[in-house]
Every structure is written in structure tokens, then in C-alpha cells.
Amino acid sequence: MIQRDAAARCTLKAPISAVGRGLHSGADVRLTLRPAALNTGIVFRRTDLGVDVAAKFDNVTDTRLCTLISRGDAKIGTIEHLMAALAAAGVDDLIVEVDAPELPVFDGSAAPFLFLIESAGVIEHGGARPVLEILRPVRVEQNGAFAELRPHADGGTGFDISLSIEFAARAIGAQAYHFNLSTAGFADEIARARTFTQRGEIEALRQAGLARGGSLANAVVVDDDKIMNPEGLRYADEFVRHKLLDVIGDLYLAGAPISGRFIGSRTGHALNNQLLRAVYADQANYRLATGALEAPLQLTAA
Ligand SMILES: [Zn+2]
């Protein structure tokens, strides 16, 4: 089912749809994942506006609460958890239809998206899968947080991620996690980790008209040393696993799977996006491992 190591490009076998609530609007959003032609890349389509936006780092226009891509006034937010599931499943070409400015949040994790992808099925459909090989260290920093991509050490393969976080809230504290996306562990180790927020932040978001759809059903809510969700945590270190999930999703906006090592501390959507911009700012930083990569990287919109 999962074609992560396929040599050819992959899409879905069949379209699949789901309806879920948007985190910020609180309104229902219809999501359809549609098989796409070779070299389409991942393209988001606002069916209510008739506008397409490629899932590329240079279309990211807001990273404050989620990763949001836009073209003109057509916005599509909260794409990162679906993008993580697509990266893990090895989907290269796909049309993602939504009829609202954000994706459904579902349970705040990538697991529902992975379920949809696996239910539809992933197939190879030809071409050559590109790989973005990191050739020299690239680092971005902000307020003591950093995100870095490095070439593999001898023998390293795939997209290898080491992440640490530190929060004043005692229920989170300091956590670290290491994961290699070329392993089969995404579904068990990463996909189910939910997004999280602190109790004090919720009131501010609500007053700003945001997080209307937010609830204990789609986020872990922390109040210093307490977890407000009655069911508790899915993993003792669910917080760092979720932040690692976000790194996978945000960096899949590179337009190709990454071959290299990510090292980050307290990184978020903004820094993850800055890192990709920094990589692509200098051609000495990277190499496109197959000739087929030129097409998806130059894609601006279908
Ligand atoms: Zn997230």
C-alpha cells in the first residue's frame, strides 16, 4: 500500500472524500483527494473559487497558526498534517480539493489523512521520482530556536529528523525525538500525535475569531502540569512527536522527498518554511537527484 520507496512517481488509485470541521472557521469542509496526472505535484484546489495552488514552499504566505498557502485571495490553511501523510505514503502527484479556506482538522493528527490515503490506495504511475539531496548544511534561527538541514553522514539514507522542544508548561517540558521517514514507523510512531495548545491561548484565539472549531476532540489542551483531555495523551511524548509530524509536512513543500538530515530545536511552521527558502536560495545547497525533478519544482499552479 505505502509506496515510499518506489522509483516511479505515485498517485492514488481512486478518489476519496471526507467531511470534517475546519479548526478556525468551525464550519464543515469537504475534502477530496483525487488522482492526478504525472508531474502534477501536490496541488490544492479551492472548488468554491476555481483556483489551484501548488503545495510549494514559495506559495506559503502565513505560518502563524498553521501552514497556509495562497494565490491571490484564495487561501488554503492547515495543510501540514495532510502533507505529512502524503510524504510518508510517498504520494507525488495529487489534486486536493477543498470547498473552504482550510482543511478539516479531524482529530488534530495525520492519522485520518493517512487512513484516507491508504483506503484509496497508492500506485506507481511512471516517470522518475525526484529526490532533493542536501549537499551542505543550511541553518535558520530565530529567538534561540533553529532548524537545519545537513547532508547525510556516511551510510545515511532517507529523511532523518532529530527534533527537540522545550515549553514552560510542566506537562510538556523538554522532549526530544528522532525519526527516519524511510522507515515504516510513521503510522505507529508519528501519525497519531495530535496538535496541542495551552489553555491560556485558547481565549485569545477565540477573541480573535479563530479556533472556532477547536475542541478537546481535535487538540491536546495543556494547563501547566495538567492535560485537560479526559482521555489523556496518546504517547507520553506526544508533543514532540506532533512537532516532528509538522516538520515532515512543512518540508514536503520542498516539492520532492528530501535526502538528508534535519536537526531542529523548538522549530515551528515559520522556521520550517524559512529553512526551505534558504535551501533553494543557493543552488550549491542541493542537488536534484533525477532529471525528472525539474518539472514539479517549476510548477506554480496547475
Ligand atoms: Zn501540526
Side-chain angles (χ1 to χ4, degrees):
M1 185 70 70
I2 298 293
Q3 301 285 340
R4 189 181 304 105
D5 298 324
R9 294 176 69 89
C10 292
T11 188
L12 293 190
K13 263 182 208 160
I16 192 162
S17 296
V19 174
R21 180 172 291 185
L23 179 61
H24 294 300
S25 66
D28 275 350
V29 182
R30 183 171 186 83
L31 168 75
T32 300
L33 308 180
R34 229 175 252 294
L38 199 59
N39 293 330
T40 300
I42 310 294
V43 173
F44 286 78
R45 175 168 293 163
R46 281 285 300 270
T47 54
D48 53 329
L49 301 176
V51 176
D52 286 359
V53 188
K56 287 292 309 297
F57 67 95
D58 49 358
N59 284 332
V60 172
T61 51
D62 196 339
T63 52
R64 286 170 297 177
L65 297 166
C66 63
T67 294
L68 183 147
I69 55 175
S70 65
R71 183 173 168 209
D73 293 332
K75 299 177 178 179
I76 301 148
T78 322
I79 64 170
E80 59 271 17
H81 303 159
L82 170 61
M83 290 301 293
L86 294 172
V91 176
D92 305 288
D93 298 313
L94 191 71
I95 302 290
V96 180
E97 295 181 352
V98 284
D99 60 358
E102 60 181 332
L103 265 67
V105 64
F106 296 130
D107 68 353
S109 82
F113 295 112
L114 195 62
F115 174 78
L116 289 172
I117 293 163
E118 293 189 338
S119 298
V122 178
I123 52 160
E124 295 185 39
H125 68 153
R129 165 171 288 166
V131 175
L132 178 68
E133 186 183 349
I134 303 300
L135 298 181
R136 63 181 190 183
V138 179
R139 179 181 171 106
V140 292
E141 303 179 346
Q142 194 169 46
N143 302 327
F146 72 88
E148 185 172 330
L149 279 167
R150 293 184 192 168
H152 279 299
D154 285 349
T157 57
F159 185 27
D160 196 84
I161 304 153
S162 297
L163 183 66
S164 62
I165 61 171
E166 194 170 350
F167 282 79
R170 284 176 288 172
I172 307 174
Q175 302 185 351
Y177 205 78
H178 169 260
F179 181 73
N180 190 306
L181 193 59
S182 66
T183 66
F186 182 80
D188 291 334
E189 290 180 51
I190 306 295
R192 296 177 61 249
R194 293 164 295 173
T195 191
F196 57 93
T197 186
Q198 304 201 46
R199 194 176 185 177
E201 292 170 353
I202 295 176
E203 204 46 43
L205 287 172
R206 289 260 163 88
Q207 281 175 1
L210 298 165
R212 287 199 190 103
S215 75
L216 293 174
N218 51 42
V220 177
V221 180
V222 175
D223 187 6
D224 191 19
D225 61 339
K226 288 185 286 293
I227 305 293
M228 306 307 293
N229 306 59
E231 75 281 10
L233 295 174
R234 293 177 175 178
Y235 313 93
D237 54 359
E238 185 167 359
F239 306 102
V240 70
R241 292 185 197 225
H242 184 83
K243 289 291 188 184
L244 199 151
L245 189 166
D246 284 340
V247 168
I248 294 170
D250 285 342
L251 268 63
Y252 200 42
L253 289 157
I258 292 172
S259 175
R261 288 190 293 160
F262 176 97
I263 298 152
S265 176
R266 298 171 48 218
T267 182
H269 301 307
L271 220 43
N272 296 341
N273 185 250
Q274 284 174 36
L275 180 59
L276 286 183
R277 290 175 188 269
V279 167
Y280 279 113
D282 189 335
Q283 291 196 354
N285 292 334
Y286 64 95
R287 184 168 70 104
L288 309 174
T290 79
L293 189 56
E294 298 299 334
L297 280 179
Q298 287 169 6
L299 184 92
T300 51

